[in-house]
Amino acid sequence: MTLARSLPDDATGWWIFLGTFALYLLGRWFFGWWRARRDGESRPVRAAFAEDDDPDAIRAAAYGGFRSYRQFFGFVGSAVVVVLVLALTDGGSQVVLLWIVVPPLVVALAYLDFRQAHKARSRR
């Protein structure tokens, strides 16, 4: 017997997972575009997509590791909020609260990752 949840068996669950990843990537792209536009880049869209090609930025946002306490506490805090919503609510209110709470948390984590990568690029 395990207490861990399995991966979803239906298409709806997979669309929710993919939507969460898409929201994270869209948030990262938006913050890159916004920074490039604020810095006066002539082509902010191209600059936003090119930021992921930078090896320092990739190293700063390494998978499986937290480069700052903000990233760590943002991840842990987001997980705690989601677990509290799941534990304290049920039914329709649970779904509504998750739809309200999860997108801002995902965008906040994307912003924290963006800031860490931006700091790594500005150190050069």
Side-chain angles (χ1 to χ4, degrees):
M1 182 170 96
T2 64
L3 296 177
R5 293 186 63 182
S6 66
L7 291 174
D9 294 334
D10 60 341
T12 305
W14 284 107
W15 281 114
I16 291 170
F17 279 136
L18 290 175
T20 304
F21 289 129
L23 180 63
Y24 173 83
L25 292 174
L26 185 65
R28 266 309 281 274
W29 176 82
F30 173 76
F31 292 127
W33 171 81
W34 178 65
R35 174 71 67 175
R37 190 162 176 225
R38 215 173 80 177
D39 290 345
E41 292 281 337
S42 61
R43 297 180 181 219
V45 174
R46 186 174 294 175
F49 283 119
E51 83 172 12
D52 291 333
D53 296 336
D54 187 11
D56 291 333
I58 292 171
R59 224 176 292 117
Y63 296 102
F66 299 102
R67 298 287 183 173
S68 74
Y69 69 91
R70 288 185 184 127
Q71 281 181 312
F72 176 73
F73 286 120
F75 183 79
V76 170
S78 297
V80 166
V81 168
V82 169
V83 167
L84 284 174
V85 168
L86 289 172
L88 299 176
T89 60
D90 194 25
S93 62
Q94 184 181 50
V95 172
V96 170
L97 279 174
L98 286 175
W99 275 102
I100 291 171
V101 169
V102 170
L105 292 176
V106 170
V107 171
L109 289 175
Y111 181 70
L112 289 174
D113 288 344
F114 165 76
R115 278 182 44 110
Q116 191 66 29
H118 180 70
K119 281 197 309 192
R121 277 192 303 280
S122 65
R123 282 187 211 134
R124 288 190 284 159

